[in-house]
């Protein structure tokens, strides 16, 4: 039962253009969403996040959009650079009562290739 | 300084053996995790420890036993290794009681069971 889905296994874009990575989720209890970037032979690295009370969060070239009604989020990278080539994971968490630590549920990842 | 470090990076062993993977974090976090990334590339949580206390155990076989001697360390011991245990195991850490569950990951341990 995939609660977080990234339906595009791969995406290829030209340097300087926009990269849009998509993510869908099914669990209405998710209240925080994160994007991680992963290079080969390395661990995932946190990139950007968004709370369910917001619909947009921007950090430099990276913007995450959240559409709660559609249970959909997307990561926009503008402009894309060759160094952005990596696997991007969407992750979600659902806070528990009492504010204890939360587990992350990951999507399968999308391999982004930015061509020079 | 590596924030979350795992050893070994690669582990090749025979079926039936027992092996351990070690993880240490120097971020001052109080929560540590083990994730498994299988051949289908899904990253799935296995265990979570908060202040040395087991918080999450995601129906992992009893052959897997995590041990947290202190907040900065979380080790994973695997008994009677099976072919299906071949995967990349990631350790992560975070601060509990924060709405942003930003977890910091180690580089992973690639386990190959022959």
């Amino acid at each position: 039962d995939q609660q977080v889905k990234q339906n595009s296994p791969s995406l290829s874009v030209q340097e300087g253009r926009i990269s849009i990575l998509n993510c869908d989720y099914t669990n209405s209890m998710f209240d925080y969403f994160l994007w991680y970037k992963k290079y080969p032979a390395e661990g995932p690295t946190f990139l950007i996040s968004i709370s369910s009370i917001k619909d947009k969060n921007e950090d430099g070239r990276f913007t995450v959009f959240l559409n709660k009604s559609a249970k959909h989020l997307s990561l926009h990278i503008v402009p894309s650079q060759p160094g952005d080539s990596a696997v991007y994971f969407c992750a979600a968490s659902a806070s528990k009562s009492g504010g204890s630590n939360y587990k992350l549920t990951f999507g399968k990842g999308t391999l982004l290739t930015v061509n020079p | 300084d590596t924030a979350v470090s795992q050893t070994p990076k690669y582990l090749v062993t025979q079926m039936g053996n027992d092996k351990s993977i070690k993880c240490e974090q120097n971020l001052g976090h109080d929560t540590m995790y083990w994730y498994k990334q299988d051949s289908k590339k899904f990253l799935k949580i296995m265990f979570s420890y908060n202040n040395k206390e087991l918080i999450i155990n995601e129906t992992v076989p009893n052959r897997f036993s995590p041990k947290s001697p202190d907040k900065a360390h979380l080790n994973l011991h695997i008994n009677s290794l099976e072919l299906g245990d071949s995967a990349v195991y990631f350790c992560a850490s975070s601060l509990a009681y924060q709405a942003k569950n930003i977890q910091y990951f180690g580089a992973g341990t690639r386990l190959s069971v022959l």
Side-chain angles (χ1 to χ4, degrees):
Chain A
D1 178 26
Q2 295 181 54
Q3 297 185 60
V4 178
K5 299 178 184 179
Q6 293 178 255
N7 292 319
S8 297
S10 63
L11 174 68
S12 183
V13 300
Q14 286 299 119
E15 182 178 5
R17 306 295 290 269
I18 184 171
S19 295
I20 300 177
L21 297 103
N22 294 305
C23 177
D24 297 294
Y25 63 96
T26 58
N27 189 340
S28 300
M29 298 300 292
F30 287 146
D31 55 8
Y32 210 82
F33 303 90
L34 307 90
W35 284 93
Y36 280 81
K37 176 179 179 180
K38 184 182 179 304
Y39 292 117
E42 294 184 11
T45 303
F46 170 72
L47 192 57
I48 191 170
S49 62
I50 188 167
S51 164
S52 60
I53 62 173
K54 295 187 175 181
D55 55 17
K56 178 182 174 182
N57 187 26
E58 190 173 352
D59 183 2
R61 296 186 296 114
F62 303 91
T63 303
V64 56
F65 295 92
L66 174 62
N67 182 333
K68 275 188 69 176
S69 60
K71 293 190 175 69
H72 176 83
L73 62 154
S74 60
L75 173 68
H76 292 211
I77 307 173
V78 182
S80 301
Q81 300 173 352
D84 296 329
S85 297
V87 176
Y88 288 79
F89 288 97
C90 172
S93 67
S95 58
K96 298 179 180 179
S97 60
S100 60
N101 69 84
Y102 318 122
K103 72 176 185 180
L104 289 178
T105 300
F106 282 86
K108 202 171 173 180
T110 296
L111 173 62
L112 173 66
T113 303
V114 180
N115 301 302
Chain B
D1 278 347
T2 304
V4 181
S5 59
Q6 298 178 227
T7 53
K9 193 168 177 68
Y10 299 97
L11 188 51
V12 181
T13 188
Q14 299 287 330
M15 272 176 49
N17 284 350
D18 303 339
K19 290 292 178 186
S20 292
I21 307 172
K22 295 186 176 182
C23 180
E24 175 181 3
Q25 55 93 5
N26 62 5
L27 296 168
H29 290 164
D30 56 4
T31 306
M32 296 185 72
Y33 311 80
W34 278 110
Y35 285 84
K36 177 181 180 181
Q37 186 178 33
D38 59 22
S39 57
K40 296 183 179 178
K41 304 302 181 187
F42 278 110
L43 259 170
K44 291 185 180 176
I45 184 138
M46 300 172 67
F47 301 103
S48 167
Y49 269 77
N50 174 256
N51 285 318
K52 302 194 297 177
E53 181 183 349
L54 181 65
I55 301 296
I56 296 174
N57 182 342
E58 289 285 308
T59 60
V60 178
N62 291 337
R63 299 182 295 103
F64 290 79
S65 53
K67 284 188 172 55
S68 182
D70 55 57
K71 286 194 305 184
H73 296 84
L74 179 62
N75 304 322
L76 183 65
H77 188 76
I78 315 171
N79 289 326
S80 302
L81 278 155
E82 300 178 356
L83 293 176
D85 297 331
S86 295
V88 183
Y89 293 84
F90 289 98
C91 175
S93 72
S94 72
L95 273 176
Y97 300 96
Q98 58 167 347
K100 301 179 183 182
N101 189 13
I102 298 174
Q103 297 181 13
Y104 296 83
F105 285 79
T109 296
R110 183 174 293 275
L111 171 65
S112 298
V113 182
L114 306 177

